[in-house]
C-alpha cells in the first residue's frame, strides 16, 4: 500500500497546481486511492489495519504526553498520533474531493467553492504537520521513515519497541 501513499501525494500535489478538467479528474483519482486505502484498512495485513493502529483518546493522549516528555517508545507500525493523523488526512481528502465534486455540479454556489478551498488549505496544513511528525519521529528514533515508506523496511525491533 506504500504505492497508494505516494500516488496520493503525487495526485494532491498535481491537483494543487491544476485547474479545470485535469483538476477534476485528479480529484476523482484521489478519491479512488483513498477508497482503496480504506478497504485496505479493513482487509489488509496486520500493520495496515485501522483496528491495529488507531487507539482511543486515553492511549493517544498518554502517548502525546510521553512525546512532550521525550520518553515515547518507538512503534514498529503507526504510533497513536500518526494513526490519528492518517484518519484526519483521509477524512479531509474525502471531504475535499466531495466538495470539489459539488463545486462542479452546483456551479454558481459560492459557499461550496469556498468550502472546497478552505478544506484544501486544511489538507495542506495537515500534510505539513504530518511531514513534521515524520521528521521528528525519524530523528527521535534514529530511523529514516521516508526510506521505510519507499522500501517497506525498518530497522529490526529492539527492547522497548511497540508492536501492536
Amino acid at each position: 500500500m506504500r504505492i497508494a501513499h505516494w500516488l496520493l501525494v503525487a495526485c494532491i500535489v498535481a491537483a494543487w497546481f491544476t485547474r479545470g478538467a485535469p483538476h477534476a479528474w485528479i480529484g476523482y483519482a484521489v478519491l479512488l486511492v483513498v477508497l482503496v486505502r480504506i478497504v485496505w484498512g479493513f482487509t489488509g495485513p496486520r500493520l495496515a489495519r485501522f483496528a491495529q493502529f488507531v487507539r482511543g483518546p486515553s492511549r493517544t493522549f498518554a502517548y502525546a504526553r510521553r512525546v512532550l516528555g521525550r520518553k515515547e517508545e518507538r512503534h514498529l507500525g503507526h504510533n497513536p498520533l500518526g494513526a490519528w493523523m492518517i484518519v484526519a488526512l483521509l477524512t479531509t481528502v474525502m471531504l475535499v474531493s466531495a466538495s470539489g465534486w459539488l463545486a462542479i455540479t452546483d456551479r454558481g454556489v459560492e459557499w461550496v467553492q469556498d468550502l472546497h478551498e478552505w478544506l484544501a488549505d486544511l489538507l495542506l496544513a495537515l500534510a505539513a504537520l504530518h511531514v513534521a511528525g515524520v521528521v521528528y519521529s525519524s530523528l527521535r528514533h534514529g530511523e529514516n521513515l521516508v526510506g521505510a515508506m519507499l522500501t517497506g523496511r525498518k530497522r529490526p525491533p529492539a527492547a522497548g519497541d511497540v508492536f501492536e
Side-chain angles (χ1 to χ4, degrees):
M1 203 38 54
R2 290 182 311 276
I3 192 159
H5 176 269
W6 295 111
L7 182 60
L8 187 58
V9 170
C11 285
I12 290 170
V13 169
W16 191 264
F17 292 105
T18 60
R19 297 291 173 254
H23 181 82
W25 285 107
I26 292 167
Y28 296 136
V30 163
L31 189 56
L32 179 63
V33 172
V34 170
L35 292 175
V36 167
R37 176 57 181 103
I38 290 170
V39 169
W40 192 250
F42 291 104
T43 62
R46 183 173 179 230
L47 288 177
R49 291 184 184 217
F50 298 123
Q52 187 277 326
F53 64 82
V54 176
R55 298 291 170 228
S58 62
R59 287 183 67 184
T60 302
F61 287 124
Y63 178 78
R65 283 191 296 277
R66 291 192 300 277
V67 168
L68 291 173
R70 297 184 53 83
K71 295 181 169 124
E72 78 279 8
E73 62 280 357
R74 173 180 173 250
H75 284 252
L76 299 178
H78 300 92
N79 68 52
L81 291 175
W84 281 105
M85 179 54 76
I86 291 167
V87 171
L89 285 166
L90 292 176
T91 301
T92 304
V93 168
M94 287 190 307
L95 290 172
V96 170
S97 294
S99 64
W101 176 75
L102 284 173
I104 290 170
T105 58
D106 289 340
R107 289 217 185 271
V109 180
E110 189 174 333
W111 73 266
V112 175
Q113 184 62 37
D114 291 344
L115 176 64
H116 181 66
E117 291 173 11
W118 183 85
L119 287 167
D121 290 342
L122 175 62
L123 179 59
L124 186 63
L126 288 173
L129 188 58
H130 172 60
V131 169
V134 168
V135 169
Y136 172 83
S137 291
S138 292
L139 294 172
R140 180 81 177 107
H141 298 293
E143 69 184 332
N144 181 351
L145 291 178
V146 174
M149 278 299 299
L150 291 169
T151 66
R153 292 185 293 275
K154 289 175 99 174
R155 67 179 162 85
D161 288 351
V162 175
F163 183 74
E164 297 180 308

